[in-house]
Amino acid sequence: MSLRILITAGPTREYLDPVRYLSNGSSGRMGYALAAVAAGRGHQVDLVTGPVALAVPSGVKAHRVVSAEDMLLACTPLFSQCDVIIAVAAVADYRPATWHPEKLKKSGQSLTLTLVPNVDVLQTLSASRRSNQVIVGFAAETQDVEAYARRKMVEKNCDWIVANDVGQPNIGIDAADNAIVLIGRNGVRAPFGPAPKVEVAAFILDRVLPPV
């Protein structure tokens, strides 16, 4: 018996005009590694992915999105059907308050941007969770990493949170390797790495997936 697993990956882009946007350096590698390992184990995987330069793993169904609102729209029907969600995507916290349909011209003067909060994809989804769903979040932080991760686990109603210190060199965002601490609401604290992201993915899945 296989599980239906929803994974989000990559960054979002929040456009200011047709050519400029706010985003981050997420490569999508961690989410894609999780999707590849889960599909390799025979699970049904839906991958909701922001813009990345990666090939979709074999056996994975990809749903391509751009903005945070796009991601929520794509995830909502999939979440209602999934057994497990692993929210790896680095969703932009803010977006420009105003969309300019034409490219903004350089004037030589200072430009002030007004930003507004983006939709919180994971928190919105988890508010309608079923009791038998497993929710796994990721917390990419540069300070007080575990403290912030534990707070995020509670705020977003997660069963597990993956704490990732992206302030360290050669791990995390846009790196081939990762080092994490997997934290569970059941009291588990399990560090792993540095290691290639595919090995980190296997470590996470070994511990968070329910028995089938």
Side-chain angles (χ1 to χ4, degrees):
M1 178 180 174
S2 64
L3 297 168
R4 184 158 187 178
I5 302 175
L6 170 60
I7 298 174
T8 67
T12 64
R13 292 178 180 175
E14 312 300 331
Y15 275 85
L16 172 65
D17 64 22
V19 297
R20 301 183 181 94
Y21 55 82
L22 299 177
S23 192
N24 57 66
S26 173
S27 66
R29 290 173 181 161
M30 190 69 249
Y32 275 61
L34 282 157
V37 174
R41 295 182 180 185
H43 299 299
Q44 182 179 346
V45 180
D46 286 289
L47 177 66
V48 177
T49 174
V52 299
L54 298 171
V56 176
S58 176
V60 171
K61 184 175 182 180
H63 309 260
R64 299 188 184 277
V65 299
V66 176
S67 69
E69 291 185 350
D70 293 340
M71 185 166 283
L72 179 59
L73 186 63
C75 284
T76 298
L78 298 171
F79 178 73
S80 68
Q81 303 169 35
C82 77
D83 302 299
V84 180
I85 180 173
I86 308 177
V88 192
V91 180
D93 293 325
Y94 295 91
R95 70 180 189 275
T98 301
W99 153 255
H100 298 270
E102 303 294 338
K103 179 184 175 184
L104 290 172
K105 299 302 182 184
K106 182 171 65 176
S107 67
Q109 303 298 314
S110 296
L111 177 66
T112 299
L113 295 180
T114 299
L115 304 179
V116 295
N118 243 338
V119 61
D120 189 310
V121 175
L122 180 56
Q123 192 168 48
T124 302
L125 293 172
S126 66
S128 62
R129 69 177 295 177
R130 303 190 311 273
S131 60
N132 61 343
Q133 283 179 304
V134 174
I135 298 181
V136 184
F138 268 66
E141 303 290 348
T142 59
Q143 60 179 339
D144 300 326
V145 175
E146 290 191 46
Y148 281 122
R150 290 179 185 276
R151 186 170 75 184
K152 182 175 181 179
M153 180 170 60
V154 174
E155 289 175 349
K156 303 198 178 187
N157 198 20
C158 297
D159 302 290
W160 299 89
I161 197 83
V162 180
N164 182 197
D165 187 349
V166 295
Q168 298 298 316
N170 303 318
I171 60 172
I173 288 180
D174 201 25
D177 294 347
N178 206 349
I180 58 113
V181 179
L182 178 64
I183 300 168
R185 294 190 80 160
N186 58 4
V188 168
R189 180 189 179 276
F192 185 78
K197 287 184 175 177
V198 67
E199 295 181 14
V200 177
F203 175 87
I204 293 169
L205 293 175
D206 285 344
R207 286 153 182 81
V208 305
L209 295 187
V212 292

